[in-house]
Amino acid sequence: MTTNKQKGSTLFDKIWDAHVVSTIENGPTQLYIDRHFCHEVTSPQAFNGLRARGLKVFRPEKTTMTADHNTPTINQELPVKDPVSRNQLDQFAKNAKDFNMPIFYPLGHEKNGVVHIIGPENGFTQPGMTIVCGDSHTSTHGAFGTIAFGIGTSEVEMVLATQCILQARPKTMRITFNGKLKPGVTSKDLALYMISKLTTGGATGYFVEYAGEAIRNMTMEERMTVCNLSIEMGARGGLIAPDETTFNYVKGREFAPKGEEWDKKLAYWKTLKTDDDAVFDIELTFDASEIEPMITYGTNPGMGMRISDSIPTLDEVDEAGRISFQKSLDYMGFAPGEKLLGKSIDYVFLGSCTNGRIEDFRLFANYVKGKKKAKNVTAWLVPGSWKVRKQIEEEGLDKVLEEAGFAIRQPGCSACLAMNDDKVPAGKYAVSTSNRNFEGRQGPGARTILAGPLVAAAAAVNGKITMP
């Protein structure tokens, strides 16, 4: 008698299947959520929905609340000037109080910071979890071997009320990076390279697992940068199998398991890897040693190139995309075929949930040490959390940066998006370590060039796009 051997499971399958509460035939899956992150912009309507229905929050201890999007990055101890921002922050605090939310980090709290930075650094993010937040870049947490994705406000209400969500099961993709990254090439460069190859829609409908030597060699913070940008190629999320690097990062953090509980969890976490005979819907492979420092030249993250390259000419662009390509370049003030090396810039932004961690500040400080900020450049250096800022000071990086003419601001999402005071003026060029370069993303008419922390540091010192 022959038996049909079941094919192996992917890492994604293992986590997803462990969280299925119920399934509807030809319909969505009811998925249990282990950790819900919550900020002030996508949550007010959700809490109001609960009020209208007379519902409580089902498991308040499973939600972590932090203010980040609307927060100013200077003078946080003073009342917030912008009335819209102030109103959202006040409402956020009221919701936390009214619904007895135990984990709430308002402005000025020592654990306050960007939602996708405070999660991992406090030990909320752990392998094998399902994680959601009303924010596209929730995929950041996938670096720990989790299923993490952004949700809409009505879904935030669903999670608060039931600790579950209705989701269609995504398809799976594995992207393998063989070989090693060259010195001076960062995880941000790897991600921008990948998005330039796949385009902004290349992973739509998929959950992506990142694998290969270049990924294994990364620190947790570098992995977070890669997973953070998964969404920019259309993916539902991205994840990396947990390993010793992951376990060492999580161990000892405040909300991480302790003692016997740690041993039990660790044994389970070690099973979280894709089986050798598992089958993905799509497999892609890249050679990491071919990647160079990257920048974007257009108005979506897929319009990226090596810093030494020229913008494609119209002949090199697919005919169907030429009109939008030209429109994008017109907005940026660039021409097809133009080189951007040596192009003068006005602003530099180091920060965001993509590159606002301590390693990003170390890279930046290491490059500018003994140099001076260019006079024509306004630089915003915004740590992702108060913990990151404290570490910057403990390591003396603030002194290095001050000597080079830079100031460290207070934590927040800052210039990643035009929802607070840190807006780039119309027509000005910003080399930004954030994740989106859409029209108006950093301010009406602002022109964003996405890059990693080293390219940003080189631009800040030289006043123009420079090979670091």
Side-chain angles (χ1 to χ4, degrees):
M1 181 176 104
T2 60
T3 54
N4 286 339
K5 184 180 176 292
Q6 287 286 97
K7 70 172 169 37
S9 299
T10 67
L11 168 61
F12 174 85
D13 296 330
K14 290 180 182 182
I15 302 170
W16 181 278
D17 294 343
H19 289 81
V20 172
V21 179
S22 66
T23 50
I24 299 161
E25 202 176 338
N26 302 321
T29 302
Q30 184 188 2
L31 204 65
Y32 182 78
I33 299 302
D34 292 310
R35 176 58 50 189
H36 172 221
F37 291 105
C38 186
H39 62 79
E40 76 277 19
V41 177
T42 51
S43 65
Q45 303 90 331
F47 281 109
N48 280 345
L50 296 183
R51 279 192 186 93
R53 295 174 190 219
L55 295 174
K56 288 191 169 82
V57 174
F58 180 53
R59 292 193 170 157
E61 73 288 351
K62 299 286 185 191
T63 291
T64 301
M65 299 176 70
T66 185
D68 60 1
H69 281 59
N70 276 309
T71 57
T73 58
I74 51 167
N75 304 325
Q76 286 186 4
E77 58 290 344
L78 302 175
V80 175
K81 281 197 195 113
D82 177 56
V84 176
S85 295
R86 188 170 66 240
N87 184 28
Q88 276 204 321
L89 292 165
D90 290 348
Q91 187 59 45
F92 194 53
K94 182 180 178 349
N95 290 336
K97 186 166 176 279
D98 288 356
F99 288 89
N100 299 313
M101 305 300 281
I103 308 167
F104 171 54
Y105 304 144
L107 214 53
H109 191 287
E110 62 176 4
K111 292 196 190 84
N112 173 262
V114 177
V115 66
H116 308 310
I117 289 181
I118 67 133
E121 74 183 4
N122 289 295
F124 290 111
T125 306
Q126 297 164 27
M129 282 184 163
T130 48
I131 296 175
V132 294
C133 173
D135 187 273
S136 341
H137 295 99
T138 308
S139 55
T140 310
H141 306 270
F144 290 79
T146 71
I147 291 180
F149 53 92
I151 58 175
T153 298
S154 55
E155 293 171 310
V156 172
E157 185 181 341
M158 195 190 298
V159 173
L160 288 170
T162 67
Q163 207 55 40
C164 291
I165 194 168
L166 294 175
Q167 279 292 300
R169 190 183 188 119
K171 291 178 286 192
T172 57
M173 179 189 293
R174 179 162 58 187
I175 303 179
T176 304
F177 287 92
N178 293 321
K180 291 183 169 66
L181 289 173
K182 294 186 188 119
V185 176
T186 66
S187 59
K188 179 69 164 283
D189 297 314
L190 177 141
L192 288 174
Y193 171 86
M194 169 176 72
I195 301 164
S196 76
K197 296 290 184 201
L198 270 89
T199 75
T200 51
T204 302
Y206 291 86
F207 229 92
V208 180
E209 180 178 341
Y210 301 106
E213 186 187 358
I215 299 292
R216 287 275 147 251
N217 288 342
M218 285 182 184
T219 65
M220 280 317 295
E221 298 198 355
E222 290 170 326
R223 293 177 190 186
M224 283 188 247
T225 297
V226 175
C227 288
N228 174 279
L229 288 156
S230 306
I231 190 80
E232 303 309 334
M233 52 188 188
R236 280 301 279 132
L239 75 172
I240 294 168
D243 57 13
E244 289 306 319
T245 304
T246 321
F247 310 143
N248 292 338
Y249 180 97
V250 174
K251 193 170 187 178
R253 292 184 187 267
E254 185 177 346
F255 291 89
K258 308 278 189 296
E260 266 179 49
E261 179 68 5
W262 170 264
D263 297 336
K264 207 169 79 189
K265 283 278 207 285
L266 186 64
Y268 168 58
W269 294 346
K270 286 182 174 174
T271 69
L272 295 175
K273 47 179 176 285
T274 292
D275 297 334
D276 293 341
D277 56 345
V279 178
F280 289 84
D281 294 306
I282 294 185
E283 290 251 23
L284 296 173
T285 307
F286 294 110
D287 180 353
S289 65
E290 288 180 0
I291 302 170
E292 297 198 8
M294 298 282 295
I295 51 169
T296 60
Y297 57 83
T299 53
N300 72 57
M303 298 176 83
M305 64 181 190
R306 292 182 303 192
I307 195 168
S308 53
D309 283 350
S310 304
I311 295 172
T313 61
L314 284 173
D315 294 339
E316 294 171 89
V317 177
D318 183 46
E319 203 168 337
R322 279 180 198 167
I323 291 172
S324 63
F325 175 80
Q326 188 60 59
K327 181 176 174 277
S328 183
L329 291 191
D330 291 345
Y331 178 86
M332 292 298 294
F334 296 151
E338 187 182 351
K339 263 196 164 357
L340 294 187
L341 262 184
K343 181 105 187 149
S344 186
I345 59 108
D346 310 290
Y347 282 74
V348 166
F349 170 50
L350 174 68
S352 84
C353 59
T354 314
N355 286 115
R357 299 177 187 83
I358 189 65
E359 289 175 10
D360 301 309
F361 279 82
R362 286 180 192 146
L363 274 175
F364 194 99
N366 198 31
Y367 184 90
V368 304
K369 191 175 185 172
K371 303 182 179 84
K372 281 274 183 265
K373 179 183 79 64
K375 291 219 171 21
N376 62 313
V377 171
T378 301
W380 290 327
L381 275 50
V382 185
S385 70
W386 280 107
K387 286 198 164 180
V388 173
R389 172 149 168 167
K390 195 173 164 211
Q391 207 170 342
I392 287 167
E393 288 164 0
E394 281 167 4
E395 294 182 17
L397 301 179
D398 54 329
K399 300 280 181 288
V400 171
L401 292 162
E402 276 162 26
E403 276 168 28
F406 297 93
I408 308 269
R409 295 171 82 90
Q410 292 168 322
C413 291
S414 183
C416 173
L417 77 176
M419 257 187 198
N420 50 64
D421 297 337
D422 301 351
K423 293 181 181 74
V424 175
K428 298 292 184 191
Y429 288 104
V431 172
S432 178
T433 64
S434 54
N435 42 52
R436 288 188 170 157
N437 53 345
F438 306 150
E439 291 188 18
R441 171 77 178 184
Q442 294 192 295
R447 294 162 161 174
T448 305
I449 297 161
L450 296 177
L454 275 178
V455 172
V461 165
N462 295 292
K464 53 183 192 258
I465 295 170
T466 311
M467 179 70 92

